[in-house]
Amino acid sequence: FLTIVVAALLPVVVVTASSVGLSPAGDPHLRITVSMLVLDLVAILVVLAFAVGKGPSVWETFGLSSRAFLPSLAMGLRGYVTMFPWLFIVLWIVVELTHALGLEPPIEPIQELIFQEDRPLVLGLTTVLACVVGPVAEELFFRGVMFSTLRRRTSRAVAMLISGGAFALMHGNLIGFPSILLLGCLLAYLYERTGSLASSLSVHILHNTFLMSTALIVRRLMELA
């Protein structure tokens, strides 16, 4: 509810940014980036605020203590290496089916930002959003809150599918939905097995960083060609 309120107030953020010279009102790329950064930061603060008092500390609540960090990180990396080929096999199958049916995949805003934006500020903000702020907000909410709540009331499989489905829907990518759903289920599984967001968060950051790096390399090769 609080995040929805903030989303409704984003025009105020745009006007404020314009007043200090950022001028995002007439700049769709900057407006999208700033808006998503604000929403994700608010989501992080809201989840952390409600987590206060749920355990000895916020870190303990999400299993981010120092003693759980390294083992959870190691398990997360092993899980990702195992699942990584399947994520792209599923994505490849969906893309091929889309082409066979004569459908044209829609261009996402982040694709426009990566392949059309030349300003270092906007590209830098997009990278921070995709590789750091976004994964933290999504892991706190989809695994730390949604999956945990569902898991107390349903089976592991149901909680994984519902939270993973919501995670995939949030990305608004129909072509990537099956592979994002699979990734969401992996992240939920890692969180339950380790009891720590360190595992799912490390995988999420690694995955997004890999995708962002690959996209930037492809863009550079296209420019050279």
Side-chain angles (χ1 to χ4, degrees):
F1 173 75
L2 291 173
T3 305
I4 292 172
V5 171
V6 172
L9 294 175
L10 275 176
V12 177
V13 177
V14 173
V15 171
T16 303
S18 299
S19 67
V20 297
L22 292 177
S23 302
D27 188 334
H29 288 178
L30 186 58
R31 184 173 66 249
I32 290 171
T33 306
V34 172
S35 299
M36 290 306 300
L37 276 171
V38 171
L39 282 176
D40 281 352
L41 288 172
V42 168
I44 291 171
L45 292 175
V46 167
V47 172
L48 293 179
F50 278 95
V52 173
K54 297 294 183 183
S57 68
V58 172
W59 295 106
E60 292 285 348
T61 299
F62 294 109
L64 292 171
S65 61
S66 58
R67 67 176 180 276
F69 184 81
L70 289 179
S72 299
L73 181 63
M75 183 173 182
L77 293 177
R78 288 197 301 269
Y80 182 64
V81 170
T82 302
M83 185 65 73
F84 182 83
W86 295 103
L87 295 175
F88 283 89
I89 289 173
V90 170
L91 180 61
W92 178 80
I93 292 173
V94 174
V95 170
E96 289 301 312
L97 286 174
T98 301
H99 290 159
L101 295 173
L103 301 175
E104 186 68 26
I107 298 178
E108 298 181 45
I110 194 166
Q111 289 176 311
E112 293 185 8
L113 285 168
I114 295 173
F115 289 99
Q116 298 178 13
E117 184 59 57
D118 293 320
R119 290 168 294 180
L121 172 62
V122 179
L123 282 174
L125 289 175
T126 302
T127 301
V128 171
L129 173 64
C131 301
V132 182
V133 179
V136 172
E138 291 166 9
E139 289 311 305
L140 283 173
F141 180 74
F142 287 105
R143 260 58 68 179
V145 176
M146 181 178 286
F147 174 76
S148 298
T149 302
L150 290 169
R151 186 65 181 93
R152 289 195 292 268
R153 294 165 173 78
T154 63
S155 65
R156 179 171 66 183
V158 171
M160 287 171 56
L161 286 173
I162 294 177
S163 61
F167 172 67
L169 283 173
M170 184 273 300
H171 285 79
N173 185 340
L174 294 178
I175 301 299
F177 180 89
S179 59
I180 298 174
L181 169 62
L182 190 60
L183 176 63
C185 290
L186 169 65
L187 296 173
Y189 173 79
L190 291 173
Y191 180 45
E192 182 174 32
R193 280 294 304 273
T194 62
S196 172
L197 278 183
S199 56
S200 60
L201 183 57
S202 61
V203 168
H204 201 156
I205 291 175
L206 175 63
H207 182 72
N208 283 20
T209 301
F210 172 77
L211 294 181
M212 178 65 73
S213 301
T214 302
L216 291 174
I217 291 172
V218 170
R219 170 181 167 156
R220 182 56 179 166
L221 292 175
M222 291 171 62
E223 290 173 348
L224 292 174

Coordinates of all heavy atoms in Angstrom, one line a residue, residues 80 83-89 91-92 95 108 110-115 123 126-132 135 138 167 171 173 175-184 187 202-220 222:
Y80 N 23.0 -21.9 -8.8 CA 22.9 -21.1 -10.0 C 23.6 -21.7 -11.2 O 23.1 -21.8 -12.3 CB 23.4 -19.7 -9.8 CG 23.3 -18.8 -10.9 CD1 22.1 -18.4 -11.4 CD2 24.4 -18.3 -11.6 CE1 22.0 -17.5 -12.5 CE2 24.4 -17.4 -12.6 CZ 23.1 -17.1 -13.1 OH 23.0 -16.2 -14.2
M83 N 21.4 -24.5 -12.5 CA 20.2 -24.0 -13.1 C 20.5 -23.2 -14.4 O 19.6 -23.1 -15.3 CB 19.3 -23.2 -12.1 CG 18.0 -22.8 -12.7 SD 16.9 -24.2 -13.0 CE 16.5 -24.7 -11.3
F84 N 21.6 -22.6 -14.4 CA 21.9 -21.6 -15.5 C 21.6 -22.1 -16.9 O 20.9 -21.4 -17.7 CB 23.4 -21.1 -15.4 CG 23.8 -20.1 -16.4 CD1 23.5 -18.7 -16.2 CD2 24.4 -20.5 -17.6 CE1 23.9 -17.8 -17.1 CE2 24.8 -19.5 -18.5 CZ 24.5 -18.2 -18.3
P85 N 22.1 -23.3 -17.3 CA 21.8 -23.7 -18.7 C 20.3 -23.9 -18.9 O 19.8 -23.6 -20.0 CB 22.5 -25.1 -18.7 CG 23.5 -25.1 -17.7 CD 22.9 -24.2 -16.6
W86 N 19.5 -24.3 -17.9 CA 18.1 -24.5 -18.1 C 17.4 -23.2 -18.3 O 16.4 -23.1 -19.1 CB 17.5 -25.3 -17.0 CG 18.0 -26.7 -16.9 CD1 19.0 -27.2 -16.0 CD2 17.7 -27.8 -17.7 NE1 19.2 -28.5 -16.2 CE2 18.5 -28.9 -17.3 CE3 16.8 -27.9 -18.8 CZ2 18.4 -30.1 -17.9 CZ3 16.7 -29.2 -19.4 CH2 17.5 -30.3 -18.9
L87 N 17.8 -22.2 -17.7 CA 17.2 -20.8 -17.8 C 17.3 -20.4 -19.3 O 16.3 -19.9 -19.9 CB 17.9 -19.8 -17.0 CG 17.8 -20.0 -15.4 CD1 18.7 -18.9 -14.7 CD2 16.4 -19.9 -15.0
F88 N 18.4 -20.6 -19.9 CA 18.6 -20.2 -21.3 C 18.0 -21.2 -22.3 O 17.6 -20.8 -23.4 CB 20.0 -19.9 -21.6 CG 20.5 -18.6 -21.0 CD1 21.0 -18.5 -19.7 CD2 20.3 -17.4 -21.7 CE1 21.4 -17.3 -19.2 CE2 20.7 -16.2 -21.2 CZ 21.2 -16.1 -19.9
I89 N 17.9 -22.4 -21.9 CA 17.2 -23.4 -22.8 C 15.8 -23.1 -22.9 O 15.1 -23.1 -24.0 CB 17.5 -24.8 -22.3 CG1 18.9 -25.3 -22.5 CG2 16.5 -25.8 -23.0 CD1 19.3 -26.6 -21.9
L91 N 14.4 -20.2 -22.3 CA 14.2 -18.9 -23.0 C 14.3 -19.1 -24.5 O 13.6 -18.5 -25.3 CB 15.3 -17.9 -22.5 CG 15.2 -16.5 -23.2 CD1 13.9 -15.8 -22.9 CD2 16.4 -15.7 -22.7
W92 N 15.3 -19.9 -24.9 CA 15.5 -20.2 -26.3 C 14.3 -20.9 -26.9 O 13.8 -20.5 -28.0 CB 16.7 -21.1 -26.5 CG 17.0 -21.5 -28.0 CD1 17.6 -20.7 -28.9 CD2 16.6 -22.7 -28.6 NE1 17.6 -21.4 -30.1 CE2 17.0 -22.6 -29.9 CE3 16.0 -23.9 -28.1 CZ2 16.8 -23.7 -30.8 CZ3 15.8 -24.9 -29.0 CH2 16.2 -24.8 -30.3
V95 N 11.5 -18.3 -27.4 CA 11.8 -17.4 -28.5 C 11.6 -18.0 -29.8 O 11.0 -17.4 -30.7 CB 13.3 -16.9 -28.4 CG1 13.7 -16.1 -29.6 CG2 13.4 -16.0 -27.2
E108 N 11.3 -3.8 -24.5 CA 11.1 -3.4 -23.1 C 11.9 -2.0 -22.9 O 12.8 -1.7 -23.6 CB 11.7 -4.4 -22.1 CG 11.0 -5.7 -22.2 CD 11.5 -6.7 -21.2 OE1 11.7 -6.3 -20.0 OE2 11.8 -7.9 -21.6
I110 N 13.9 -1.2 -20.6 CA 15.3 -1.3 -20.2 C 16.2 -1.7 -21.4 O 17.3 -1.3 -21.5 CB 15.5 -2.4 -19.1 CG1 16.9 -2.3 -18.5 CG2 15.3 -3.8 -19.7 CD1 17.1 -3.0 -17.2
Q111 N 15.6 -2.3 -22.4 CA 16.3 -2.6 -23.7 C 16.6 -1.3 -24.4 O 17.6 -1.1 -25.0 CB 15.5 -3.5 -24.6 CG 15.4 -4.9 -24.1 CD 14.5 -5.8 -24.9 OE1 13.4 -5.4 -25.3 NE2 15.0 -7.0 -25.3
E112 N 15.6 -0.4 -24.4 CA 15.8 0.9 -25.0 C 16.9 1.7 -24.3 O 17.7 2.3 -24.9 CB 14.5 1.8 -25.0 CG 13.4 1.2 -25.9 CD 12.2 2.1 -25.9 OE1 12.3 3.2 -25.4 OE2 11.1 1.7 -26.5
L113 N 16.9 1.6 -23.0 CA 17.9 2.3 -22.2 C 19.3 1.8 -22.5 O 20.2 2.6 -22.7 CB 17.6 2.2 -20.7 CG 16.4 3.0 -20.1 CD1 16.1 2.5 -18.7 CD2 16.8 4.4 -20.0
I114 N 19.4 0.5 -22.6 CA 20.8 -0.1 -22.8 C 21.3 0.2 -24.2 O 22.4 0.5 -24.4 CB 20.7 -1.6 -22.5 CG1 20.4 -1.8 -21.0 CG2 22.1 -2.2 -22.9 CD1 20.2 -3.3 -20.6
F115 N 20.4 0.0 -25.2 CA 20.9 0.1 -26.6 C 20.7 1.4 -27.3 O 21.2 1.6 -28.3 CB 20.1 -1.0 -27.4 CG 20.5 -2.4 -27.1 CD1 19.7 -3.2 -26.2 CD2 21.7 -2.9 -27.6 CE1 20.1 -4.5 -25.9 CE2 22.1 -4.2 -27.3 CZ 21.3 -5.0 -26.4
L123 N 23.0 5.6 -18.0 CA 23.5 4.2 -18.1 C 24.0 3.7 -16.7 O 23.8 2.6 -16.4 CB 24.6 4.1 -19.2 CG 24.1 4.0 -20.6 CD1 25.3 4.0 -21.5 CD2 23.2 2.8 -20.9
T126 N 21.0 3.1 -14.5 CA 20.3 1.9 -15.0 C 21.1 0.7 -14.5 O 20.5 -0.3 -14.0 CB 20.2 1.9 -16.5 OG1 19.5 3.0 -17.0 CG2 19.5 0.6 -17.0
T127 N 22.4 0.7 -14.5 CA 23.2 -0.4 -14.1 C 23.0 -0.6 -12.6 O 22.9 -1.7 -12.1 CB 24.7 -0.1 -14.4 OG1 24.8 0.0 -15.8 CG2 25.6 -1.3 -13.9
V128 N 23.1 0.5 -11.8 CA 22.9 0.4 -10.3 C 21.5 -0.2 -10.0 O 21.3 -1.0 -9.1 CB 23.1 1.8 -9.7 CG1 22.7 1.7 -8.2 CG2 24.5 2.2 -9.8
L129 N 20.5 0.3 -10.8 CA 19.1 -0.2 -10.6 C 19.0 -1.7 -10.9 O 18.5 -2.4 -10.1 CB 18.2 0.6 -11.5 CG 16.7 0.1 -11.5 CD1 16.0 0.3 -10.2 CD2 15.9 0.9 -12.6
A130 N 19.5 -2.1 -12.0 CA 19.4 -3.5 -12.4 C 20.2 -4.5 -11.7 O 19.8 -5.6 -11.4 CB 19.7 -3.6 -13.9
C131 N 21.4 -4.0 -11.2 CA 22.4 -5.0 -10.6 C 22.5 -4.9 -9.1 O 23.0 -5.8 -8.5 CB 23.8 -4.7 -11.2 SG 23.9 -4.9 -13.0
V132 N 21.9 -3.8 -8.5 CA 22.1 -3.7 -7.1 C 20.7 -3.4 -6.4 O 20.2 -4.3 -5.7 CB 23.1 -2.6 -6.7 CG1 23.2 -2.6 -5.1 CG2 24.4 -2.9 -7.3
P135 N 17.6 -6.0 -7.4 CA 17.7 -7.3 -6.7 C 17.5 -7.2 -5.2 O 16.8 -8.1 -4.7 CB 19.1 -7.7 -7.0 CG 19.5 -7.1 -8.3 CD 18.8 -5.7 -8.3
E138 N 13.7 -6.7 -4.7 CA 12.9 -7.9 -5.1 C 13.1 -9.0 -4.1 O 12.2 -9.8 -3.8 CB 13.3 -8.2 -6.5 CG 12.8 -7.2 -7.5 CD 13.4 -7.4 -8.9 OE1 14.0 -8.4 -9.1 OE2 13.2 -6.5 -9.7
F167 N 6.8 -12.8 -9.2 CA 8.1 -12.2 -9.5 C 8.2 -12.1 -11.0 O 8.7 -11.0 -11.5 CB 9.2 -13.1 -8.9 CG 10.6 -12.8 -9.3 CD1 11.2 -11.6 -8.9 CD2 11.3 -13.7 -10.1 CE1 12.5 -11.3 -9.3 CE2 12.6 -13.4 -10.5 CZ 13.2 -12.2 -10.1
H171 N 8.0 -8.4 -13.8 CA 9.0 -7.9 -14.9 C 8.3 -7.6 -16.2 O 8.9 -6.9 -17.0 CB 10.0 -9.0 -15.1 CG 11.0 -9.1 -14.0 ND1 10.8 -9.8 -12.8 CD2 12.3 -8.7 -13.9 CE1 11.8 -9.7 -12.1 NE2 12.8 -9.0 -12.7
N173 N 7.5 -9.2 -18.8 CA 8.2 -9.7 -20.0 C 7.6 -11.1 -20.3 O 7.9 -12.1 -19.7 CB 9.7 -9.9 -19.7 CG 10.5 -10.3 -21.0 OD1 9.9 -10.9 -21.9 ND2 11.8 -10.1 -20.9
I175 N 7.8 -12.9 -23.0 CA 8.8 -13.9 -23.6 C 9.6 -14.5 -22.6 O 9.9 -15.7 -22.6 CB 9.6 -13.2 -24.7 CG1 8.8 -12.6 -25.8 CG2 10.6 -14.2 -25.3 CD1 7.9 -13.6 -26.5
G176 N 10.1 -13.7 -21.6 CA 10.9 -14.2 -20.6 C 10.2 -14.8 -19.4 O 10.9 -15.3 -18.4
F177 N 8.9 -14.8 -19.4 CA 8.1 -15.2 -18.2 C 8.5 -16.6 -17.7 O 8.8 -16.8 -16.5 CB 6.6 -15.2 -18.5 CG 5.8 -15.6 -17.3 CD1 5.4 -14.7 -16.4 CD2 5.4 -16.9 -17.2 CE1 4.6 -15.1 -15.3 CE2 4.6 -17.4 -16.1 CZ 4.2 -16.4 -15.1
P178 N 8.6 -17.7 -18.6 CA 8.9 -19.0 -18.1 C 10.3 -19.1 -17.4 O 10.4 -19.7 -16.4 CB 8.8 -19.9 -19.4 CG 7.9 -19.1 -20.3 CD 8.2 -17.7 -20.0
S179 N 11.3 -18.5 -18.1 CA 12.6 -18.5 -17.5 C 12.7 -17.7 -16.2 O 13.4 -18.1 -15.3 CB 13.7 -18.1 -18.5 OG 13.4 -16.7 -18.9
I180 N 12.0 -16.6 -16.2 CA 12.0 -15.7 -14.9 C 11.3 -16.5 -13.8 O 11.7 -16.4 -12.6 CB 11.4 -14.4 -15.2 CG1 12.2 -13.6 -16.2 CG2 11.3 -13.5 -13.9 CD1 11.6 -12.3 -16.6
L181 N 10.2 -17.2 -14.2 CA 9.5 -18.0 -13.2 C 10.4 -19.1 -12.6 O 10.5 -19.3 -11.4 CB 8.3 -18.6 -13.8 CG 7.6 -19.7 -13.0 CD1 7.0 -19.2 -11.7 CD2 6.4 -20.4 -13.9
L182 N 11.2 -19.7 -13.5 CA 12.1 -20.8 -13.1 C 13.2 -20.2 -12.2 O 13.5 -20.8 -11.1 CB 12.8 -21.4 -14.3 CG 13.6 -22.6 -14.1 CD1 12.8 -23.8 -13.5 CD2 14.2 -23.1 -15.4
L183 N 13.7 -19.0 -12.5 CA 14.7 -18.3 -11.7 C 14.0 -18.0 -10.3 O 14.7 -18.2 -9.2 CB 15.2 -17.0 -12.3 CG 16.1 -16.2 -11.5 CD1 17.4 -16.9 -11.2 CD2 16.4 -14.9 -12.2
G184 N 12.8 -17.5 -10.3 CA 12.1 -17.2 -9.0 C 12.0 -18.4 -8.1 O 12.1 -18.3 -6.9
L187 N 15.3 -19.1 -6.6 CA 15.7 -18.2 -5.5 C 14.9 -18.5 -4.2 O 15.4 -18.5 -3.1 CB 15.4 -16.8 -6.0 CG 16.2 -16.3 -7.2 CD1 15.7 -14.9 -7.6 CD2 17.7 -16.2 -6.8
S202 N 22.7 -13.1 -3.7 CA 23.9 -13.2 -4.5 C 23.6 -13.7 -5.9 O 24.2 -13.3 -6.9 CB 24.9 -14.1 -3.8 OG 24.4 -15.4 -3.6
V203 N 22.7 -14.7 -6.0 CA 22.4 -15.3 -7.3 C 21.7 -14.2 -8.2 O 22.0 -14.1 -9.4 CB 21.5 -16.5 -7.2 CG1 20.9 -16.9 -8.5 CG2 22.3 -17.7 -6.6
H204 N 20.8 -13.5 -7.6 CA 20.0 -12.5 -8.3 C 21.0 -11.4 -8.8 O 20.9 -11.0 -10.0 CB 19.0 -11.9 -7.4 CG 17.9 -11.2 -8.1 ND1 16.6 -11.0 -7.5 CD2 17.8 -10.6 -9.3 CE1 15.8 -10.4 -8.4 NE2 16.5 -10.1 -9.5
I205 N 21.9 -10.9 -8.0 CA 22.8 -9.9 -8.4 C 23.8 -10.4 -9.5 O 24.0 -9.8 -10.5 CB 23.7 -9.4 -7.2 CG1 22.8 -8.6 -6.2 CG2 24.9 -8.6 -7.7 CD1 23.5 -8.2 -5.0
L206 N 24.2 -11.7 -9.3 CA 25.1 -12.3 -10.3 C 24.4 -12.4 -11.7 O 25.0 -12.1 -12.7 CB 25.6 -13.6 -9.8 CG 26.4 -14.5 -10.8 CD1 27.7 -13.8 -11.1 CD2 26.7 -15.9 -10.2
H207 N 23.2 -12.9 -11.6 CA 22.4 -13.1 -12.9 C 22.1 -11.8 -13.6 O 22.4 -11.7 -14.8 CB 21.1 -13.8 -12.5 CG 20.2 -14.1 -13.7 ND1 20.5 -15.1 -14.6 CD2 19.0 -13.5 -14.2 CE1 19.6 -15.1 -15.5 NE2 18.7 -14.2 -15.3
N208 N 21.7 -10.7 -12.9 CA 21.4 -9.5 -13.5 C 22.7 -8.8 -14.0 O 22.7 -8.2 -15.1 CB 20.7 -8.5 -12.5 CG 19.2 -8.9 -12.3 OD1 18.8 -10.0 -12.6 ND2 18.5 -7.9 -11.8
T209 N 23.8 -9.0 -13.3 CA 25.0 -8.4 -13.7 C 25.5 -9.1 -15.0 O 26.0 -8.4 -15.9 CB 26.1 -8.5 -12.6 OG1 25.7 -7.9 -11.4 CG2 27.4 -7.9 -13.0
F210 N 25.3 -10.4 -15.1 CA 25.7 -11.1 -16.3 C 24.9 -10.6 -17.5 O 25.4 -10.4 -18.5 CB 25.5 -12.6 -16.1 CG 25.7 -13.4 -17.3 CD1 27.0 -13.7 -17.8 CD2 24.6 -13.9 -18.0 CE1 27.1 -14.4 -19.0 CE2 24.7 -14.6 -19.2 CZ 26.0 -14.9 -19.7
L211 N 23.6 -10.5 -17.3 CA 22.7 -10.0 -18.4 C 23.1 -8.6 -18.8 O 23.1 -8.3 -20.0 CB 21.2 -10.1 -17.9 CG 20.7 -11.5 -17.7 CD1 19.2 -11.4 -17.3 CD2 20.8 -12.4 -18.9
M212 N 23.3 -7.7 -17.8 CA 23.6 -6.3 -18.1 C 25.0 -6.3 -18.9 O 25.1 -5.6 -19.9 CB 23.7 -5.5 -16.9 CG 24.1 -4.1 -17.1 SD 22.9 -3.1 -18.1 CE 21.6 -2.9 -16.9
S213 N 26.0 -7.0 -18.4 CA 27.3 -7.0 -19.1 C 27.2 -7.6 -20.5 O 27.8 -7.0 -21.4 CB 28.3 -7.9 -18.2 OG 28.4 -7.4 -16.9
T214 N 26.4 -8.6 -20.7 CA 26.2 -9.2 -22.0 C 25.6 -8.2 -22.9 O 26.0 -8.0 -24.1 CB 25.4 -10.5 -21.9 OG1 26.0 -11.4 -21.0 CG2 25.2 -11.1 -23.3
A215 N 24.6 -7.5 -22.4 CA 23.9 -6.5 -23.3 C 24.8 -5.4 -23.7 O 24.8 -4.9 -24.8 CB 22.7 -6.0 -22.5
L216 N 25.6 -4.9 -22.7 CA 26.5 -3.8 -23.0 C 27.6 -4.3 -24.0 O 28.1 -3.5 -24.9 CB 27.2 -3.3 -21.8 CG 26.2 -2.6 -20.8 CD1 26.9 -2.2 -19.5 CD2 25.7 -1.3 -21.5
I217 N 28.1 -5.5 -23.9 CA 29.1 -6.1 -24.9 C 28.5 -6.2 -26.3 O 29.1 -5.8 -27.3 CB 29.6 -7.4 -24.4 CG1 30.4 -7.3 -23.1 CG2 30.4 -8.1 -25.5 CD1 30.8 -8.6 -22.5
V218 N 27.2 -6.7 -26.3 CA 26.5 -6.8 -27.6 C 26.4 -5.4 -28.2 O 26.6 -5.2 -29.4 CB 25.1 -7.4 -27.5 CG1 24.3 -7.3 -28.7 CG2 25.3 -8.9 -27.1
R219 N 26.0 -4.4 -27.4 CA 25.8 -3.0 -27.9 C 27.2 -2.5 -28.5 O 27.2 -1.9 -29.6 CB 25.4 -2.1 -26.8 CG 25.4 -0.6 -27.2 CD 25.0 0.3 -26.1 NE 25.4 1.6 -26.4 CZ 24.8 2.7 -25.9 NH1 23.8 2.6 -25.1 NH2 25.2 3.9 -26.2
R220 N 28.3 -2.8 -27.8 CA 29.6 -2.3 -28.3 C 30.0 -3.0 -29.6 O 30.5 -2.4 -30.5 CB 30.6 -2.6 -27.2 CG 32.0 -2.1 -27.5 CD 32.0 -0.7 -27.9 NE 33.4 -0.2 -28.2 CZ 33.6 0.9 -28.8 NH1 32.6 1.8 -29.1 NH2 34.9 1.3 -29.0
M222 N 27.9 -4.2 -31.8 CA 27.0 -3.6 -32.8 C 27.5 -2.2 -33.3 O 27.5 -1.9 -34.5 CB 25.6 -3.5 -32.3 CG 24.9 -4.8 -32.1 SD 23.3 -4.6 -31.2 CE 22.4 -3.6 -32.4

